[in-house]
């Protein structure tokens, strides 16, 4: 084929984006080169800056460019209410749904022994420590409504119950088998409001 | 919403890609930050290098990082056969289809008076000059099989005919109303082989 090396390189690099196949990558490369070079330069800068500047909040473990994220740093957020999630995308989804005023703790995924993901790997000891050093009165388990997400919620509940912490699970208004980050805001807000005690 | 400024900035920049809406941009940003920081840094570099390094071939006007593109520089390509196209993407499509051994000339789109795109704007005078200074015996008009593409082909044919150049149009094996770059390689190769004289 007749792509020059720099264009070939750009198309290959665009294919690194999730959901972008060879045809889409070609179309993106052409669009940027022919119509939007400033957009492409802007994107290059944003990528480099974000990859170097964004780390994880040392308190809740969501993606953050500061040691303590904006939510953890906000004194208006209810420190007695902690919502446990599987991914920073889930924090974004709950925040976009609105209505939740507590704080978060983000696990590294869910328990999945077959993939070598045990309690240590997904950060459950750190969650227990965080709960112990805090004023948390209630932990809301908002892991995915999947088999692994349920198992993760039950495991965490079994660790927190003996410590006298109230533990709840988001209501099963969320469709079973779905992934939290793709659920519409209304359903999510409803599921959080309708949470039920667990164990 | 709770995106930190660098993440917000990255999501906004990703929305500059064609076909990428807010949800897809969020998903891409999360994927890159959580799983593929090296891919993102690589993409940042490829974007910057391509935007600065890729210009246009001074002969055929396709995208090229050299003054003369690889096709124009290839002595094995038939200099008597010139295929006229509307976009560098169409060159890529014809090259991927295979079977064409001539050279190209890329217009800046098609005649569209309503959009202020006249012969000058799309580069027809430069095409006529290129034909005159060369050994071209036949010009194949491979503009899009749309109303504007046909009008562009007929206008070019009317300018070349008096100069004693053989002018042909790609066969209407290509579906009418379609855009050349999205047509499968087999159809394209067939349409080029089945070209018919014009005017
Ligand atoms: Zn935080
Ligand atoms: Zn060229």
């Amino acid at each position: 084929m007749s792509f020059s090396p720099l264009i070939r390189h750009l198309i290959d690099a665009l294919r690194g984006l999730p959901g972008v196949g060879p045809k889409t990558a070609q179309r993106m490369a052409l669009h940027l080169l022919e119509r939007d070079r400033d957009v492409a330069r802007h994107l290059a800068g944003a990528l480099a800056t974000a990859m170097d500047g964004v780390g994880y909040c040392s308190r809740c473990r969501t993606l953050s460019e500061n040691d303590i994220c904006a939510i953890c740093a906000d004194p208006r957020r209810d420190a007695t209410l902690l919502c446990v999630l599987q991914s920073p995308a889930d924090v974004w989804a709950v925040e976009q749904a609105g209505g939740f005023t507590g704080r978060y703790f983000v696990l590294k995924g869910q328990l999945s022994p077959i993939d070598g993901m045990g309690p240590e790997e997904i950060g459950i000891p750190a969650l227990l420590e965080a709960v112990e050093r805090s004023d948390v009165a209630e932990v809301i388990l908002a892991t995915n409504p999947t088999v692994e997400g349920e198992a993760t919620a039950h495991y965490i509940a079994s660790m927190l119950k003996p410590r006298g912490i109230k533990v709840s699970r988001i209501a099963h208004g969320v469709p079973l088998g779905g992934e939290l980050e793709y659920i519409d805001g209304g359903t999510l807000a409803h599921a959080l409001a309708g949470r039920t005690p667990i164990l």
Side-chain angles (χ1 to χ4, degrees), chain A residues 58-142:
Chain A
S58 65
R59 201 166 296 170
C60 74
R61 305 193 160 196
T62 197
L63 287 165
S64 171
E65 62 202 71
N66 299 114
D67 180 48
I68 303 291
C69 78
I71 297 172
C72 288
D74 183 350
R76 290 163 305 179
R77 304 289 299 222
D78 183 351
T80 67
L81 202 56
L82 186 75
C83 181
V84 176
L85 302 142
Q86 290 186 200
S87 144
D90 298 336
V91 175
W92 301 351
V94 173
E95 286 292 297
Q96 279 168 338
F100 180 70
T101 56
R103 293 163 185 267
Y104 299 100
F105 188 93
V106 180
L107 301 171
K108 281 266 167 219
Q110 57 197 358
L111 291 176
S112 179
I114 211 167
D115 304 310
M117 299 302 275
E120 190 79 42
E121 284 72 25
I122 69 169
I124 290 178
L127 165 63
L128 301 178
E129 268 173 54
V131 170
E132 265 170 22
R133 310 188 294 268
S134 71
D135 304 323
V136 172
E138 178 180 354
V139 170
I140 305 175
L141 299 169

